[in-house]
Amino acid sequence: MLHTLWEQLLATTPWEWIGIVTGISGVLLSIKEKLAAWPLFILCYAAYVYISYQYGLKAFMLMNAIFIGISIYGWFKWSQQGSEAAGNDVVISRTPIKQLGIAIALLLLSTALIGGVLGRLGEAQHPYPDAFACSCGFVAQWMLSRKHIETWIFWIITDLIYIRLLGEQGSLTSVILFAVFIVLTIKGWRDWRSTMLAPAKASA
């Protein structure tokens, strides 16, 4: 196993290392609510767009391209923090019930559509679990842009599914990477929850 892992590390391309480093750095900075997280996310997803193009993975390439768009939106929203325009501040909060319901409905619809496309293209051994993980990622990224604490729950679901799918492919480096992401998302949930509850504790 260690020999296989070492071989995979040696075979990792520079673009993949860029994606790994910027992805982990972006998550760490997003936990701390740092605006610099977003350009790192954009660079991470751009790297995977290129990697997907190189390997001919059209669906994965489209997914990361959409992530770039959501990241640009998140960068814009977080950049409004502290501006004079009323209502522009984005603070850590729970997702409003109505928005959560819409997000879940879109998640299910997206899973059905993407799963169908992946199945027809033959680019995934498990098209619907892959599509569900992808759709969870879309929801999580949108929630992150709004600083909704549920973002970390959706990221955990996404990462767990990808660990299973990538593990079946024997990609040990990817499994380790997503395991790191799960540890970071748990930290993100705990830190954001503490920040969100801090005013209530102070008033008590």
Side-chain angles (χ1 to χ4, degrees):
M1 181 177 176
L2 290 176
H3 179 69
T4 301
L5 176 59
W6 179 247
E7 287 183 338
Q8 291 185 7
L9 286 172
L10 291 177
T12 303
T13 67
W15 280 104
E16 287 173 321
W17 281 118
I18 290 173
I20 291 169
V21 172
T22 54
I24 292 175
S25 300
V27 173
L28 285 169
L29 289 174
S30 67
I31 292 172
K32 298 180 180 298
E33 300 181 71
K34 299 297 184 182
L35 189 62
W38 294 106
L40 287 173
F41 281 138
I42 291 171
L43 182 57
C44 172
Y45 297 134
Y48 280 107
V49 165
Y50 178 77
I51 293 167
S52 304
Y53 174 77
Q54 292 291 97
Y55 288 109
L57 301 174
K58 299 180 182 63
F60 192 58
M61 181 173 66
L62 177 60
M63 182 189 77
N64 282 284
I66 293 173
F67 275 137
I68 290 175
I70 300 175
S71 296
I72 292 172
Y73 170 76
W75 194 354
F76 170 77
K77 290 300 295 183
W78 283 29
S79 68
Q80 300 300 301
Q81 192 74 19
S83 65
E84 295 181 359
N88 273 340
D89 276 358
V90 181
V91 297
I92 296 173
S93 63
R94 297 193 183 279
T95 308
I97 296 298
K98 183 177 180 180
Q99 291 184 19
L100 183 60
I102 293 173
I104 292 174
L106 290 175
L107 185 156
L108 297 176
L109 177 61
S110 175
T111 298
L113 292 174
I114 295 174
V117 171
L118 289 176
R120 285 193 294 272
L121 292 176
E123 291 198 11
Q125 291 185 1
H126 307 287
Y128 287 98
D130 198 350
F132 182 73
C134 172
S135 300
C136 275
F138 291 152
V139 172
Q141 194 76 348
W142 172 78
M143 287 181 172
L144 182 62
S145 72
R146 304 293 304 182
K147 290 190 182 179
H148 292 322
I149 194 170
E150 289 81 6
T151 182
W152 303 111
I153 296 174
F154 281 89
W155 279 128
I156 289 172
I157 295 171
T158 301
D159 295 339
L160 284 171
I161 295 173
Y162 276 128
I163 282 179
R164 174 65 183 273
L165 295 176
L166 293 166
E168 290 183 1
Q169 299 298 319
S171 179
L172 296 178
T173 52
S174 297
V175 167
I176 292 172
L177 173 63
F178 278 91
V180 170
F181 281 145
I182 288 177
V183 172
L184 293 177
T185 53
I186 292 172
K187 174 177 171 54
W189 181 82
R190 293 181 63 180
D191 288 2
W192 279 28
R193 185 172 181 273
S194 296
T195 300
M196 190 175 67
L197 296 177
K201 290 180 179 179
S203 61

